[in-house]
Amino acid sequence: MNVIETTGLTKTYKGMRAIDDLTMHIKSNTITGVIGRNGAGKTTLLKILAGYIKETTGRVNVFSEHPFNSLYVSANSIFIDDQMVFPDALTLGELLKEGERFYADWDMTFAKNLFDYFSFHPNQRHKQLSKGKKTTFNMIFGLATRCTLTIFDEPTTGMDAAVRKDFYRVLLKDYLAHPRTILISSHYLDEMDHLLEDVLLIDEGQQVLHMPMDDLKAYAVSLIGPAAVVGQWLHDKTVLAKKQPAPGMMQAVVKKDFPIEQAEKIGIKTVPVNAGDVCIHLTAKTKGGIDDVLQ
């Protein structure tokens, strides 16, 4: 069953397309990474799915409903980001109690255990927290709702490395115990690739790829060898990037749609390419990298 479906989805701001003709679907009970560079359209897409903003053209369904102004979508989903605003009049302890009143599947024991673990005080107020503590509290609130659709937009902003590690661990353990559909947007893939089942990579509002994480990890290979040999080998390959690591040598990242033994037999060294680097290469500017700017 698909929790999310979009067809030809477009969102325009002042003539600029933040989302451009996006067609995709998200299956139920999966953790999907929405990956892309800054400004790729990740936040705009997630806010459309959460019902916060309305699309310009195209079709979008969440739980088989149009999400904008949908009470059903609102009651069964939550959108967590570092801009989340809570009422100033309520303490953190009172916010947890209000969460329990609003969300049918709220787990107060789970929320309080995390609340204590991360050293929050019930009488603190959200606006008085540091940036890292705010995002940590937002994470606790989002997970405790146990919403059928839980959306995290850059959830680790401001967190230190230890808290990020704890966040990923608790998210995965809680998901395994209570499966639901989780979307996590980020421009950092490597530190959370162990969480994800699927990856949706977008760039300039368009879908670049949407595939299982395991397939993305095997998507590309790096070829290293004499420039003449590697250059000839590339003539019928999908090249994602190439550079000259040393005089007379060439390194090329290519889509791995061929037996790598063929390259190794003629003296080309093959090196795996991690999923994060694949995403960087697929969304790189076609006119070269930073080294071209500095020439």
Side-chain angles (χ1 to χ4, degrees), residues 165-180:
K165 185 176 180 179
D166 283 340
F167 166 68
Y168 294 134
R169 182 173 176 80
V170 72
L171 185 151
L172 182 58
K173 290 190 70 173
D174 193 57
Y175 167 77
L176 293 174
H178 304 277
R180 64 263 207 197

Side-chain angles (χ1 to χ4, degrees), residues 93-134:
E94 290 168 338
L95 290 175
L96 296 185
K97 291 179 182 178
E98 291 303 312
E100 185 177 34
R101 288 180 58 196
F102 186 81
Y103 293 99
D105 295 323
W106 180 274
D107 189 326
M108 184 60 85
T109 300
F110 174 81
K112 286 184 174 180
N113 286 343
L114 289 179
F115 191 86
D116 293 339
Y117 175 80
F118 288 107
S119 302
F120 288 101
H121 192 279
N123 291 332
Q124 288 178 296
R125 297 183 189 274
H126 192 264
K127 68 176 182 179
Q128 297 170 337
L129 301 175
S130 68
K131 187 176 185 64
K133 293 289 279 186
K134 282 181 180 178

Side-chain angles (χ1 to χ4, degrees), residues 6 16 226 256:
T6 74
M16 300 292 292
K256 192 169 69 175

Side-chain angles (χ1 to χ4, degrees), residues 6-51:
T6 74
T7 304
L9 183 65
T10 299
K11 180 63 179 178
T12 302
Y13 294 106
K14 297 182 179 179
M16 300 292 292
R17 289 194 171 191
I19 301 296
D20 188 3
D21 194 27
L22 180 64
T23 298
M24 60 88 180
H25 66 270
I26 303 292
K27 296 178 292 185
S28 63
N29 297 335
T30 56
I31 303 179
T32 298
V34 181
I35 308 301
R37 296 174 182 245
N38 289 332
K42 304 186 300 295
T43 296
T44 298
L45 172 62
L46 297 182
K47 285 186 174 181
I48 291 173
L49 299 179

